[in-house]
Amino acid sequence: DTGVSQNPRHKITKRGQNVTFRCDPISEHNRLYWYRQTLGQGPEFLTYFQNEAQLEKSRLLSDRFSAERPKGSFSTLEIQRTEQGDSAMYLCASSSSGNPEAFFGQGTRLTVV
Amino acid sequence: GENVEQHPSTLSVQEGDSAVIKCTYSDSASNYFPWYKQELGKRPQLIIDIRSNVGEKKDQRIAVTLNKTAKHFSLHITETQPEDSAVYFCAASKQGSGGYNKLIFGAGTRLAVHP
């Protein structure tokens, strides 16, 4: 499968723990996006990278959230001190800067108990 | 701020009927409008998109129309089939200096096609 890959697919964690998710974009795509989706809602933008540079972060993104893309390839999203409200599907998407078509990964479903 | 409104939230049709989903965007600088289909437990999949220099685009049974003046765009599915049942999301984006920016999504429309 040469599409966008996310790991893990599911994560259950206790409140207060830290979690980290990984996204591997389509190899030739230089843009990588993180979105969060809760039940019955559309994906909500969190942050995006062009190569290794983080170009925008949502104002809704608390300081407990951090994302990196150190070599301009895969990206990680870390949530520190998780809260029950963080429970959601975390989606990654990638695209080329000259082409707006964005392709999504399968997502990581986070459940905070 | 940037916002996309989508209607209806649920849509139920008989197999063979047409379905129309409508979206309105707030940012007049938006110039790219994709539609995604998401089946239960699966990733959103791009099914069709339109750019602001085009008023209509068709791909077999699906078509998208864009009214830039009114800031409206719509998805039309003809001859619906049970496998069209899914949640459909509209989105809007605009082109910045380095490329297209983030997608702003609507809240989704749950389409049910009954045999």
Side-chain angles (χ1 to χ4, degrees):
Chain A
D1 186 358
T2 57
V4 179
S5 176
Q6 291 188 247
N7 288 289
R9 294 289 308 279
H10 304 275
K11 178 71 176 179
I12 300 175
T13 190
K14 291 184 178 179
R15 191 171 50 189
Q17 298 294 304
N18 299 342
V19 294
T20 300
F21 311 140
R22 176 178 170 128
C23 172
D24 287 87
I26 293 171
S27 58
E28 60 266 30
H29 286 177
N30 61 345
R31 287 204 163 190
L32 186 149
Y33 306 81
W34 286 99
Y35 292 85
R36 176 171 60 192
Q37 187 177 28
T38 54
L39 199 61
Q41 297 297 316
E44 175 187 44
F45 170 76
L46 295 179
T47 188
Y48 86 95
F49 294 83
Q50 177 161 305
N51 301 312
E52 65 276 8
Q54 190 172 18
L55 296 188
E56 186 176 351
K57 290 172 61 174
S58 168
R59 288 170 292 175
L60 302 174
L61 205 62
S62 82
D63 55 8
R64 297 185 296 105
F65 287 71
S66 62
E68 294 183 341
R69 195 183 183 198
K71 297 182 180 179
S73 56
F74 73 91
S75 175
T76 57
L77 177 68
E78 181 183 17
I79 308 174
Q80 296 182 326
R81 305 180 302 281
T82 51
E83 301 172 357
Q84 286 189 321
D86 297 331
S87 295
M89 175 73 83
Y90 290 83
L91 292 164
C92 175
S94 69
S95 70
S96 298
S97 54
N99 186 341
E101 294 181 359
F103 297 91
F104 282 83
Q106 295 272 32
T108 294
R109 181 168 295 284
L110 173 67
T111 302
V112 181
V113 298
Chain B
E2 301 156 317
N3 187 48
V4 174
E5 293 190 357
Q6 183 171 348
H7 300 280
S9 57
T10 60
L11 182 58
S12 182
V13 300
Q14 290 297 123
E15 183 177 0
D17 288 350
S18 295
V20 180
I21 303 170
K22 298 182 179 182
C23 289
T24 304
Y25 59 98
S26 62
D27 188 347
S28 57
S30 297
N31 56 4
Y32 174 67
F33 307 94
W35 286 87
Y36 286 84
K37 175 183 180 182
Q38 188 174 31
E39 297 177 66
L40 190 63
K42 296 191 176 180
R43 73 184 78 195
Q45 288 195 306
L46 179 66
I47 56 170
I48 194 168
D49 57 16
I50 191 167
R51 306 192 191 198
S52 61
N53 58 346
V54 176
E56 183 175 2
K57 182 177 179 181
K58 288 184 180 180
D59 183 4
Q60 299 182 334
R61 296 186 297 108
I62 59 174
V64 57
T65 58
L66 171 65
N67 182 330
K68 286 174 56 182
T69 303
K71 293 191 283 188
H72 290 171
F73 59 113
S74 300
L75 177 71
H76 304 253
I77 306 174
T78 58
E79 301 172 26
T80 53
Q81 301 168 2
E83 51 265 39
D84 294 329
S85 297
V87 179
Y88 291 80
F89 293 99
C90 62
S93 177
K94 59 186 175 184
Q95 191 168 13
S97 57
Y100 285 86
N101 296 337
K102 63 188 183 246
L103 292 169
I104 305 298
F105 282 87
T109 296
R110 182 172 299 278
L111 174 65
V113 180
H114 302 285

